[in-house]
Amino acid sequence: MGRRKVLIIEDDRDIVEMLEYHLQEAGYETVSALNGQDGIAIAKKQQPDLIILDIMLPIVDGFEVCRTLKQDDTVAHVPIIILSAKSQETDKIIGLELGADDYVTKPFSPRELIARTKAILRRGLGQQTGNRIERGNVVIDSTRHKVTVGGHDVTLTFTEFRLLEFLARRPGVVFSRAQILDAVSGEDAMVYDRTVDAHVKSLRHKLAQAKDYIETVWGAGYRFRET
């Protein structure tokens, strides 16, 4: 398999050059865009394996870039790491609810960002060896990274897919937010309040008629309803 490609969407040329250097040293191919509009176009054309996305971008801001890409079936599966000077929890929650997989605040450690990139892409490779789960009218095909509800395709982000798969494999079992974070994001992911809640909210919205399969157990966490 060839080198995996990372798209950097960032308007600060110094940061772009620094990220390109560290990513290439780690063995990745890189491509970059200096504004949101070009970033969307390059993502759709080149189909990267992962996107590092700034928020404060010219022409189209990062939140809108994330929203646009996650609504496009051809690139919705591509993991996104948001890289931003916006450090408020509300900004992090917005990014996660739009489908981002991680959120790193500036200033940041290049080594930490590379570690997060490697972890997300390793989990992506792991998805190729899964199997098929059927729970009621929900079908999860881990090998093809595909979910259907009542025979209709449902487009999920990488993290949403991992969350659904994790819970559906163990129906009736209650998992705490910390357990879900460890299983879905890994121990190297950022942990802060409401991360899991944001992903669950988005997942339920996309599952539509099947949203009630994801049950909240107050004071404990979440579970997949036994069918």
Side-chain angles (χ1 to χ4, degrees), residues 69-182:
L69 294 178
K70 292 304 180 181
Q71 291 176 346
D72 188 314
D73 290 347
T74 63
V75 290
H77 66 284
V78 177
I80 293 176
I81 299 177
I82 288 181
L83 182 65
S84 178
K86 289 175 159 291
S87 60
Q88 296 296 316
E89 184 185 18
T90 53
D91 294 311
K92 296 175 182 178
I93 296 303
I94 289 171
L96 291 169
E97 289 184 336
L98 289 174
D101 295 273
D102 205 347
Y103 195 113
V104 177
T105 56
K106 299 177 182 177
F108 63 94
S109 161
R111 291 180 62 185
E112 178 188 1
L113 186 60
I114 298 303
R116 292 174 186 274
T117 297
K118 289 180 177 179
I120 288 176
L121 290 176
R122 279 199 305 269
R123 294 195 296 271
L125 284 172
Q127 290 295 334
Q128 303 302 314
T129 59
N131 50 22
R132 182 182 174 93
I133 304 168
E134 294 188 32
R135 301 284 184 248
N137 64 344
V138 178
V139 178
I140 305 166
D141 187 333
S142 299
T143 303
R144 300 171 62 194
H145 207 275
K146 181 178 180 180
V147 173
T148 60
V149 175
H152 299 286
D153 289 348
V154 177
T155 301
L156 301 180
T157 69
F158 175 79
T159 300
E160 289 163 356
F161 184 92
R162 290 269 297 181
L163 172 59
L164 178 62
E165 181 187 41
F166 175 70
L167 294 176
R169 285 189 183 280
R170 307 156 184 84
V173 179
V174 179
F175 293 96
S176 69
R177 288 167 177 79
Q179 288 174 316
I180 293 171
L181 277 169
D182 285 345

